[in-house]
Amino acid sequence: MKILVAVKRVIDYNVQIRVKEDGSGVVTDNVKMSTNPPDDNAVEEAVKIKESGKAKEIIAVTVGEEKAQETVRKALAVGADRGILVKAPCTIEPLAVAKILQKIVEKEKPDLVFMGKQAIDDDCNQTGQMLAAILNWPQATFASKIDVKENVLEVTREVDEGLETIEVKIPSIVTCDLRLNEPRYASLPNIMKAKKKPLEQIDASELGIDIKPRIEQIKVEEPPKRKAGIKVSSVEELVQKLKNEAKVI
Amino acid sequence: MKSKAKVVIVGGGVVGVSALYHLAKKGWSDVVLVERKELTSGSTWHAAGLLPLFNMSYSVGQLHKYAVDLYKTLEEETGKNVGFSVVSNIRLASTKDRMDEYHQYAGVAQTIGVDVKFLTPDQVKEIWPLCNTSDLVGAIQHPEDGYIQPADLTQALATGARNRGAEIYRNTNVVGIKQIKNGWVVETDKGSIECEHVMSCSGNFARQTGKMVGLEIPVIPVEHQYIVTEPHPEIQKRKKEGLPEMGVLRDSDSRWYMREEAGGLILGPYEDGAPCCYVDGPSKDSEYELFQEDLDRLAPHIEGAIHRVPAFGEVGVKKVYNGAICYTPDGNPIVGPAWGLKNFWINEGHSFGITAAGGAGWQLAEWIVDGEPTIDMLGVEPRRYGDYCSKSYLKEKNEEAYRNVFIIHYPDEEREAARPLRTAPCYDRMKKLGAVFGQKFGWERPNFFCYRWHGTKRRLVF
């Protein structure tokens, strides 16, 4: 079995996001970037399946600028076998990513495609679903547990009502939840070895698809600043305020 | 906010807060500190917290020694735990030259009263069982140093200062500093403060603060990275058995420091090619900022670390910190009165800020309150710099200072980067005559003459 894992390079989750002064977006120059956290879970799950002997090869793929290959290298360091960087300029929307992944799927013919349930930068939560639609493959989203069985996957999903367990036929698309597993950290020797693993670069323009943005961004602004708090002198006063002013008790 | 004070300190990192603490301790309670964001949010918060006593300079050595002694008493005084782990510090030597350097340094240590011990490779192994000692010549140990939690240290100093009447204004931006008769006015976005003295402790913003009063403070930070691993079973086992922490290890020849952290290890290399950052100052909203890691540049040091401590390569990398550390052209901080301006004090360019903060604050308080420092401060004297320190000069020199942190310091060393900067009309003639130059205040000056430099017969003429 072959697993394709899609990973995305985003602003690190610890960074305090700053909005550009002209409101055209957020500051990304000189800002620490890392792999989208749920994508780490997707890579980890693929590596676990390979370690259990049920998969033979893991391919990590990303779409983005030259530097996005760092994200693929990280996946290679924790256990992916080879990588693909699809070079694309600046903003690229979920539909375009799904179309690119479709081309990669057609070329690589994986049995499973894993990715994070959504990216922490745009919060779109669309790519996996769109890819499933384009490929006409079954999809299992928000996976918090995956069991690989004969020609099917048993996937547990976290939904509002609780846990839902479904079965999907292979090949299929799985989008991963943070609770799926605990991603491992790569050791330094493995990080160094990952530099020698094959990483293919493809230009998005060579794939013959339309990746033009469909969404016009009008303005990006910061959320309202939190107002300064006050100190209360006693528990009674605190209870009073919570009751009468905040109206939470 | 007060409208008048004796001293206004600009910048609330560990350096500024320590200066405030010491002024208050000296009896000047009418002192205030202005911080742009939150205390420690510049470089203090991401410091690895090491307290290296090892320093070739008599001035810096004494500042560090004072700080280490002071930090041990802060919890008792302020009730705040500063997380001081006195685990000792071992510097390894793989060559005889390096060992000679340690012996020379031991003279400095003895002069200023710092306790050092020499260790054989076997003794190193006893303290650091995970260390490969097969190719070592020996080591020097500082039993008294270790590491501290920088943010907790800053808060304890702030408490000590506030208890004595000093005030700290956070989220307050300094927008201008004007000289008036008998003093200064510090203008902020929340009002102005009239004062007798101003002290600049603004770290990564040093050049911006300097510009407000027409000074070129020669500080540009350099990127420094350190790697934090996940717990290692061997270290966790040691902890369970109640064995002591293995202490801070420094492999000078492979140019890194290493210490235990939460059952894992921290590695901090001083590599070639670390670039200057914030060349034109950080963004005005910058706060708790880190840069993209670049492990490629650290590769030879990582290999060296795995050779020395194989356990380091056996566990995963949890996090890589890449943050700004201030540097000056010679790597020593700038502590003292500004040139050409009355009652303007510079406390900037601290690349070992956590260790130096205590001593720098102490001596500046002595200097401001009593009129003179109580130790020889020549090594950190601001007047060694001046207008010759242009931005391009600083970029080259500060990067050189960073990569030279672990070089063997020979007496009277002259460093090569960004030279010649200023030459006299007779420079070319002197050079033809075999002059070997040194640099003083940016000028090339012959240190000695040497002809047939490349020949077999070498004759030195002094």
Side-chain angles (χ1 to χ4, degrees), chain A:
Chain A
M1 197 162 69
K2 202 176 193 183
I3 307 176
L4 181 74
V5 187
V7 290
K8 183 178 186 184
R9 183 171 185 260
V10 297
I11 295 182
D12 187 86
Y13 64 94
N14 277 316
V15 170
Q16 289 194 342
I17 306 290
R18 289 204 308 266
V19 173
K20 283 186 195 160
E21 273 174 20
D22 62 0
S24 66
V26 298
V27 178
T28 52
D29 291 344
N30 250 333
V31 168
K32 185 176 162 73
M33 309 290 271
S34 58
T35 305
N36 178 43
D39 296 347
D40 280 331
N41 298 84
V43 174
E44 174 67 29
E45 198 61 22
V47 174
K48 274 188 172 163
I49 293 170
K50 191 186 166 190
E51 282 170 348
S52 72
K54 288 176 183 158
K56 284 231 160 61
E57 191 183 24
I58 303 168
I59 308 157
V61 58
T62 194
V63 181
E65 314 165 302
E66 186 80 35
K67 279 184 181 163
Q69 60 172 292
E70 285 166 17
T71 304
V72 175
R73 292 281 177 209
K74 190 181 163 200
L76 297 175
V78 290
D81 300 287
R82 60 192 172 88
I84 300 169
L85 164 68
V86 182
K87 279 194 278 186
C90 57
T91 339
I92 185 143
E93 288 168 7
L95 179 61
V97 178
K99 286 188 202 163
I100 290 170
L101 290 178
Q102 178 202 11
K103 293 286 175 191
I104 302 296
V105 168
E106 282 167 3
K107 184 172 162 237
E108 298 290 344
K109 301 192 172 45
D111 301 284
L112 291 171
V113 179
F114 284 1
M115 68 186 80
K117 62 171 179 174
Q118 71 194 82
I120 60 169
D121 54 356
D122 56 24
D123 268 346
C124 279
N125 180 7
Q126 295 167 342
T127 307
Q129 292 88 327
M130 285 176 168
L131 178 61
I134 297 174
L135 288 170
N136 202 18
W137 282 15
Q139 58 177 310
T141 51
F142 308 105
S144 63
K145 189 163 177 276
I146 300 174
D147 269 330
V148 184
K149 302 200 163 152
E150 197 74 19
N151 293 324
V152 288
L153 286 185
E154 194 181 284
V155 178
T156 306
R157 315 172 61 227
E158 286 196 11
V159 291
D160 286 350
E161 293 82 20
L163 298 176
E164 179 188 70
T165 305
I166 58 167
E167 231 178 48
V168 286
K169 280 188 193 136
I170 292 173
S172 54
I173 312 285
V174 183
T175 73
C176 303
D177 192 90
L178 287 171
R179 275 170 290 270
L180 177 60
N181 52 43
E182 184 80 27
R184 71 193 68 187
Y185 297 112
S187 71
L188 283 159
N190 286 339
I191 293 172
M192 298 298 165
K193 274 182 220 149
K195 291 192 199 313
K196 296 192 184 102
K197 289 188 180 177
L199 197 157
E200 184 188 353
Q201 299 205 5
I202 302 170
D203 212 297
S205 58
E206 290 165 15
L207 296 172
I209 44 173
D210 174 14
I211 57 165
K212 273 203 299 290
R214 296 326 197 238
I215 300 166
E216 185 197 350
Q217 181 185 290
I218 297 167
K219 193 164 60 172
V220 177
E221 18 179 47
E222 268 186 59
K225 282 233 160 48
R226 185 180 164 274
K227 289 198 186 99
I230 51 159
K231 274 189 186 164
V232 291
S233 54
S234 64
V235 176
E236 285 74 30
E237 198 192 335
L238 175 67
V239 173
Q240 274 295 319
K241 284 203 185 294
L242 288 175
K243 223 178 217 163
N244 302 331
E245 287 177 30
K247 295 192 170 57
V248 288
I249 54 171

Side-chain angles (χ1 to χ4, degrees), chain B residues 141-183:
Chain B
Q141 185 192 28
H142 286 84
E144 287 303 310
D145 83 21
Y147 63 91
I148 200 162
Q149 300 304 324
D152 296 343
L153 167 66
T154 311
Q155 293 301 340
L157 289 166
T159 302
R162 287 191 184 109
N163 288 347
R164 295 178 170 89
E167 291 185 12
I168 295 175
Y169 307 126
R170 293 172 300 136
N171 297 307
T172 308
N173 254 306
V174 172
V175 293
I177 303 171
K178 303 255 152 65
Q179 199 164 19
I180 53 165
K181 201 179 167 215
N182 298 327

